[in-house]
């Protein structure tokens, strides 16, 4: 069962002239339907997972409009799907996170960009960069430059974001080039409103099918066509794109009184730039700024004439470009040189070379730049004073909170079924010594953090086993790879398992079968336990493994720590020389709770008897050595001061968050820890028998207590 987005789906039905209120990524989804898109697809990943979730829940709208929706097996599959736009006048959009997804998709994107498109092709990239990001810090800009894909980076407000989606398709068609639309994390989640248009059925669709296939050798990526395609990119497509961008005013110019200087920013940076100017008194509450701003809603390609027009007559400009390398700043230098303009270019000399451009970072950079260039009619010294005063109060707040707010690194959810596997590995290490673990991407990557510190390398989604290929033969004991079921279907089956089987690798693979792509919001995957009517059922990891000739497969329930340890020991020591696979079977607790909570609430409402388990620690027995905490890492298993004045160390304590997964008991048993853990049953809507038992037990315990 995936999370339902029924409320959001209703917003997709809004017609001409209505007002949409909501989140950025949902606005993008609505704009796609307004643009006459014929097909959509993608692969889940923050911060754009929401889009696929909503589209999947909006099947009836898709059916009415004749739009095909595909939940792609990977980003490569999503990008390749855009091939429908190469020969046919079909508008298509796919989505994935970047740069990790763009890396996976880049083969298809190169081919698509080379062949060129007839129908508009839009890739919505969740630019997962900065302090909230979960992946490698790189920029999508590089992909745009290398393959010549146009890159939109809209100003984070809903009217601009939706306008860029709607303009992205004709831009793509006018220049026969796929278009990337980059949405930073904050842009995806920004809230606002825009005036909607009616949804537009595509001219060709599942309801109005194409009659004839089209063959054009010029669109095949094979020499000599590829040579002609490269020439077409620079001689025809590029100039056509520049014309379209300029004629449609995709980039925005905001005039300002102090026009002897100016700020050029990526569209996505516009809000922080204006906020910085507001903070130092150089912009009003509506965002009207004293300093002119040239806002690049299209960051690739730059339009040389527009850039030159903005810079002409200015002493200096500040380029606000998040991330590195400084592609835009360097391009600006080159453009001004070619235009023979002497405007001084600043950017990374006032702003950091790398890292997210947060409000504070941009405020500091912009204020220091203003102080240095002293724009005409601006009190530069006053700006410096404003910055100093803002920084001072922030410093005081940080000092006051520093001691109170502990760091909160990410970690497994309470009761996560993946954690027990690492408890078992920790126990095994006591006997075998440490072994190399090739980790993968997913919730299980949190094992690299305390208390487990398990996982020596991470090379990419589904690439754990492939990354283990060389290291495996270099150790005197077997190594282990951990991969999620999402990673298995994405890339692990082919890049990892097929390769290990083909090469007869003596490797151990643990597949975390939690049932969903949990880290991205519990989307369904081919082996999910419940599928809706649009998806195939019964796709099995075990059968896929067997079909590749894997002869050593064990399915172990994750919470049985002792069994898991036994299976790992056997995998380490067996004479079987090929790939050994342990399928660690346990449903994602987040999804399980999401499924159970409404059921339990219903039962309680009906007055039915409900029993749930909670674990606890008897603090009289607990010695305070905390080995259970080191072997569990569950946020609910914590510590508290001991009531016993003779115990100096805090004792273990299970807080109210415990979902009774049972790991505490299992670990205490498997690790032969102290007997301080107990399992309690909480009975709601108790029956007569429950009340009688409770009374009996209380009386007995009362008798046994010292007077
Ligand atoms: S989302 Fe599911 S798999 Fe991921 S940490 Fe939480 S419980 Fe574990
Ligand atoms: S039983 Fe232990 S590991 Fe499971 S949820 Fe409760 S405290 Fe956490």
């Amino acid at each position: 069962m995936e999370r339902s987005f029924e409320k959001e789906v209703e917003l997709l039905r809004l017609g001409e002239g209505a007002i949409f209120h909501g989140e950025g990524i949902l606005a993008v989804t609505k704009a796609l339907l307004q643009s006459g898109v014929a097909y959509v697809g993608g692969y889940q990943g923050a911060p754009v997972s929401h889009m696929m979730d909503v589209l999947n829940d909006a099947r009836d709208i898709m059916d009415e409009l004749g739009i095909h929706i595909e939940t792609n097996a990977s980003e490569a599959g999503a990008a390749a799907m855009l091939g429908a736009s190469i020969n046919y006048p079909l508008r298509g959009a796919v989505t994935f996170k970047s740069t990790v997804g763009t890396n996976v998709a880049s083969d298809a994107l190169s081919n698509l960009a080379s062949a060129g498109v007839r129908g508009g092709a839009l890739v919505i990239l969740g630019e997962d960069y900065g302090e909230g990001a979960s992946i490698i810090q790189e920029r999508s800009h590089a992909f745009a430059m290398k393959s010549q894909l146009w890159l939109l980076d809209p100003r984070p407000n809903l009217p601009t974001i939706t306008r860029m989606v709607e303009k992205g398709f004709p831009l793509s068609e006018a220049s026969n080039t796929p278009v990337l639309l980059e949405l930073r994390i904050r842009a995806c989640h920004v809230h606002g409103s825009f005036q909607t248009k009616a949804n537009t059925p595509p001219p060709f669709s599942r309801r109005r099918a194409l009659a004839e296939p089209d063959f054009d050798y010029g669109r095949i990526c094979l020499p000599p066509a590829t040579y002609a395609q490269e020439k077409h990119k620079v001689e025809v497509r590029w100039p056509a794109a520049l014309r379209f961008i300029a004629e449609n005013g995709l980039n925005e110019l905001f005039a300002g009184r102090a026009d002897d200087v100016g700020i050029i920013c990526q569209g996505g940076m516009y809000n922080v730039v204006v906020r910085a100017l507001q903070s130092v008194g150089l912009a009003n509450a509506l965002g009207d700024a004293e300093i002119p701003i040239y806002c690049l809603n299209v960051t690739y390609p730059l339009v040389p004439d527009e850039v030159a027009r903005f810079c002409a007559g200015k002493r200096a400009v500040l380029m606000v470009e998040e991330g590195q390398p400084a592609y835009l700043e360097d391009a600006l230098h080159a453009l001004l040189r070619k235009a023979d303009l002497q405007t001084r270019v600043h950017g990374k000399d006032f702003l950091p070379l790398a890292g997210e451009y947060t409000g504070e970072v941009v405020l500091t950079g912009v204020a220091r730049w203003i102080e240095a260039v002293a724009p005409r009619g601006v009190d530069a010294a006053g700006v410096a004073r404003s910055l100093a005063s803002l920084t001072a109060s922030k410093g005081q707040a940080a000092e006051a909170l520093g001691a109170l707010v502990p760091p909160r690194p990410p970690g497994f959810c309470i009761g996560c079924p993946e954690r027990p596997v690492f408890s078992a590995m920790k126990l095994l290490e006591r006997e075998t010594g440490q072994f190399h673990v090739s980790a993968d991407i997913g919730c299980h990557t949190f094992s690299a953090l305390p208390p487990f510190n398990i996982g020596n390398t991470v090379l990419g989604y589904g690439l754990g086993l492939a990354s283990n290929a060389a290291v495996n033969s270099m150790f005197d004991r077997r190594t282990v790879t951990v991969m999620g079921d999402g990673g298995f279907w994405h890339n692990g089956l082919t890049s990892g398992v097929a390769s290990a089987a083909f090469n007869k690798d003596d490797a151990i693979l643990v597949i975390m079968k939690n049932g969903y792509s949990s880290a991205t919001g519990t989307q369904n995957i081919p082996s999910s336990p419940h599928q809706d009517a649009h998806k195939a059922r019964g796709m099995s990891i075990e059968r896929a493994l067997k079909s590749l000739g894997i002869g050593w497969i064990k399915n172990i329930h994750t919470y049985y720590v002792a069994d898991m340890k036994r299976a790992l020991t056997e995998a380490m020591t067996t004479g079987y020389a090929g790939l050994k696979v342990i399928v660690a079977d346990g449903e994602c607790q987040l999804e399980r709770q999401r499924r159970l909570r409404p059921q339990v609430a219903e039962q309680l409402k009906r007055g039915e008897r409900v029993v749930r388990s909670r674990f606890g620690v008897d603090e009289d027995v607990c010695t305070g050595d905390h080995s259970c905490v080191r072997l569990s890492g569950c946020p609910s298993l914590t510590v508290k001061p001991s009531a016993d004045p003779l115990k100096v160390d805090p004792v273990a304590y299970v807080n109210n968050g415990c979902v009774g997964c049972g790991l505490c008991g299992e670990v205490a048993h498997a690790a032969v820890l102290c007997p301080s853990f107990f399992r309690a049953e909480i009975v709601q809507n108790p029956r007569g028998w429950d009340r009688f038992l409770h009374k009996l037990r209380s009386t007995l315990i009362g008798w046994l207590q010292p007077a």
Side-chain angles (χ1 to χ4, degrees):
M1 189 189 90
E2 291 175 282
R3 198 186 138 195
S4 162
F5 293 91
E6 267 173 51
K7 237 171 66 197
E8 286 88 342
V9 166
E10 280 316 299
L11 290 172
L12 301 184
R13 288 197 178 278
L14 292 176
E16 194 69 38
I19 301 295
F20 170 108
H21 295 280
E23 202 180 6
I25 193 64
L26 195 59
V28 170
T29 317
K30 170 68 177 140
L32 289 177
L33 303 185
Q34 295 177 179
S35 303
V37 77
Y39 64 97
V40 289
Y43 192 82
Q44 58 268 9
V48 288
S49 300
H50 203 47
M51 195 174 139
M52 284 305 292
D53 293 336
V54 174
L55 285 170
N56 268 312
D57 276 11
R59 288 273 178 177
D60 47 349
I61 303 180
M62 302 287 149
D63 287 345
E64 282 162 28
L65 295 168
I67 300 171
H68 174 76
I69 172 163
E70 183 96 4
T71 306
N72 299 104
S74 72
E75 298 85 350
M81 192 169 84
L82 290 172
S85 297
I86 293 177
N87 290 319
Y88 306 107
L90 298 170
R91 288 186 170 181
V94 297
T95 186
F96 39 80
K97 78 187 278 172
S98 197
T99 55
V100 65
T102 320
N103 284 332
V104 176
S106 60
D107 192 8
L109 287 176
S110 289
N111 281 275
L112 184 73
S114 190
V117 293
R118 272 181 74 192
L122 194 65
V123 185
I124 292 143
L125 299 176
E127 189 79 349
D128 200 17
Y129 182 86
E131 292 174 3
S134 57
I135 52 159
I136 294 136
Q137 298 297 276
E138 288 182 0
R139 297 176 59 186
S140 302
H141 202 105
F143 291 92
M145 288 170 63
K146 86 161 179 69
S147 297
Q148 280 170 33
L149 303 153
W150 316 140
L151 181 61
L152 308 181
D153 185 356
R155 197 153 63 89
N157 68 48
L158 267 45
T160 310
I161 291 174
T162 49
R163 178 168 181 259
M164 286 302 133
V165 173
E166 289 175 324
K167 288 288 178 191
F169 289 106
L171 166 63
S172 175
E173 285 154 5
S175 57
N176 305 116
T177 302
V179 172
L180 308 175
L181 180 113
E182 166 184 288
L183 291 174
R184 291 176 170 75
I185 302 171
R186 284 167 213 235
C188 284
H189 303 309
V190 74
H191 275 67
S193 55
F194 73 98
Q195 198 171 45
T196 57
K197 296 180 192 139
N199 294 337
T200 308
F204 295 99
S205 67
R206 279 169 44 212
R207 288 182 168 272
R208 285 197 56 211
L210 294 157
E212 296 290 336
D214 172 71
F215 180 83
D216 179 352
Y217 179 73
R219 296 200 192 102
I220 309 286
C221 293
L222 190 72
T226 41
Y227 310 134
Q229 287 163 5
E230 191 190 16
K231 241 168 143 278
H232 199 248
K233 274 183 178 178
V234 290
E235 289 176 359
V236 179
R237 300 182 202 171
W238 185 299
L242 294 187
R243 258 193 320 277
F244 186 95
I245 296 163
E247 284 169 11
N248 287 273
L250 298 193
N251 296 318
E252 294 171 284
L253 183 64
F254 299 93
R257 195 173 46 83
D259 61 0
D260 59 328
V261 298
I263 295 176
I264 305 178
C265 66
Q266 293 163 306
M269 288 289 101
Y270 176 84
N271 288 4
V272 271
V273 167
V274 169
R275 184 74 191 116
L277 292 172
Q278 282 171 343
S279 304
V280 295
L282 293 179
N284 64 20
L286 299 173
D288 304 320
E290 303 264 312
I291 297 185
I293 300 172
Y294 175 47
C295 174
L296 297 170
N297 292 318
V298 186
T299 47
Y300 188 82
L302 291 176
V303 183
D305 292 349
E306 278 186 7
V307 174
R309 257 199 315 281
F310 180 74
C311 293
K314 296 196 185 334
R315 288 188 288 116
V317 291
L318 177 71
M319 179 75 236
V320 182
E321 177 185 13
E322 188 177 54
Q324 55 81 35
Y327 297 118
L328 290 169
E329 190 177 331
D330 292 347
L332 191 54
H333 277 291
L335 285 179
L336 294 186
R337 193 70 224 92
K338 283 182 194 159
D340 199 19
L341 287 169
Q342 303 313 313
T343 312
R344 233 189 134 119
V345 175
H346 296 288
K348 300 287 182 192
D349 47 348
F350 285 93
L351 289 153
L353 288 173
E356 183 175 342
Y357 280 10
T358 58
E360 185 189 358
V361 164
V362 175
L363 167 65
T364 309
V366 166
R368 292 211 173 119
W369 174 74
I370 290 171
E371 202 187 338
V373 298
R376 190 175 53 225
V378 168
D379 174 12
V383 167
R385 278 196 301 281
S386 298
L387 176 67
S389 120
L390 288 166
T391 315
S393 50
K394 181 158 189 265
Q396 284 160 1
E399 211 173 298
L401 287 173
L404 298 176
V405 184
R408 288 184 58 207
F412 295 102
C413 298
I414 292 170
C416 172
E418 302 191 342
R419 188 185 293 110
V421 179
F422 299 106
S423 304
M425 283 190 194
K426 275 276 170 216
L427 293 174
L428 181 62
E429 274 184 352
R430 288 203 303 202
E431 293 160 18
T432 61
Q434 286 195 341
F435 44 86
H436 177 99
V437 175
S438 298
D440 207 294
I441 290 180
C443 298
H444 42 87
T445 325
F446 293 139
S447 65
L449 297 169
F452 300 116
N453 295 121
I454 289 176
N456 302 67
T457 49
V458 178
L459 265 293
Y461 193 34
L463 289 175
L465 188 56
S467 75
N468 191 58
V471 86
N472 188 50
S473 54
M474 303 291 160
F475 273 95
D476 61 358
R477 74 195 69 158
R478 285 177 179 149
T479 58
V480 175
T481 298
V482 179
M483 185 191 289
D485 44 6
F488 174 82
W489 291 115
H490 177 270
N491 203 351
L493 176 62
T494 47
S495 301
V497 178
S499 178
F502 185 46
N503 289 289
K504 295 188 168 177
D505 287 349
D506 182 9
I508 302 169
L509 171 64
V510 177
I511 300 175
M512 298 288 192
K513 186 178 160 188
N514 68 13
Y516 311 90
S517 172
S518 297
T520 54
T522 60
Q523 288 80 18
N524 273 22
I525 53 174
S527 51
S528 289
H530 317 277
Q531 304 284 11
D532 65 28
H534 303 281
K535 298 283 182 338
R537 283 158 209 246
M539 290 174 73
S540 139
I541 292 175
E542 289 82 351
R543 276 206 306 280
L545 290 167
K546 280 182 193 149
S547 74
L548 294 181
I550 310 299
W552 197 103
I553 304 170
K554 293 208 182 309
N555 187 304
I556 311 281
H557 185 49
T558 54
Y559 292 107
Y560 298 160
V561 176
D563 290 358
M564 185 61 71
K565 181 174 164 255
R566 252 193 307 278
L568 283 165
T569 308
E570 200 186 321
M572 283 283 188
T573 51
T574 177
Y576 182 88
L579 180 66
K580 291 153 280 290
V581 184
I582 298 172
V583 179
D585 201 343
E587 188 184 8
C588 165
Q589 191 67 234
L590 184 72
E591 189 59 17
R592 186 167 179 272
Q593 291 301 319
R594 194 177 280 158
R595 190 160 47 78
L596 289 185
R597 257 189 226 122
Q599 288 173 15
V600 170
E602 271 304 308
Q603 282 175 292
L604 289 175
K605 222 159 69 191
R606 290 197 299 266
E608 288 173 19
R609 179 179 183 268
V610 173
V611 183
R612 65 188 166 92
S613 294
R614 270 274 319 269
F615 275 71
V617 174
D618 184 341
E619 73 168 276
D620 291 340
V621 183
C622 174
T623 59
D625 76 334
H626 309 146
S627 38
C628 56
V629 176
R630 281 187 285 275
L631 279 171
S632 163
C634 176
S636 273
L637 179 57
T638 174
V639 290
K640 69 167 190 182
S642 169
D644 182 345
L646 294 179
K647 284 188 188 167
V648 219
D649 289 326
V651 287
Y653 165 69
V654 177
N655 70 21
N656 270 338
C658 171
V659 292
C661 76
L663 175 62
C664 282
E666 280 290 325
V667 163
H669 168 69
V672 202
L673 292 178
C674 63
S676 43
F677 282 93
F678 63 82
R679 187 169 70 94
E681 287 191 342
I682 300 164
V683 184
Q684 287 168 284
N685 293 334
R687 300 295 184 242
W689 173 245
D690 297 311
R691 291 182 197 281
F692 170 73
L693 262 184
H694 174 69
K695 212 162 173 184
L696 186 67
R697 282 171 181 153
S698 306
T699 314
L700 271 174
I701 292 167
W703 284 343
L704 294 171
Q705 296 288 321

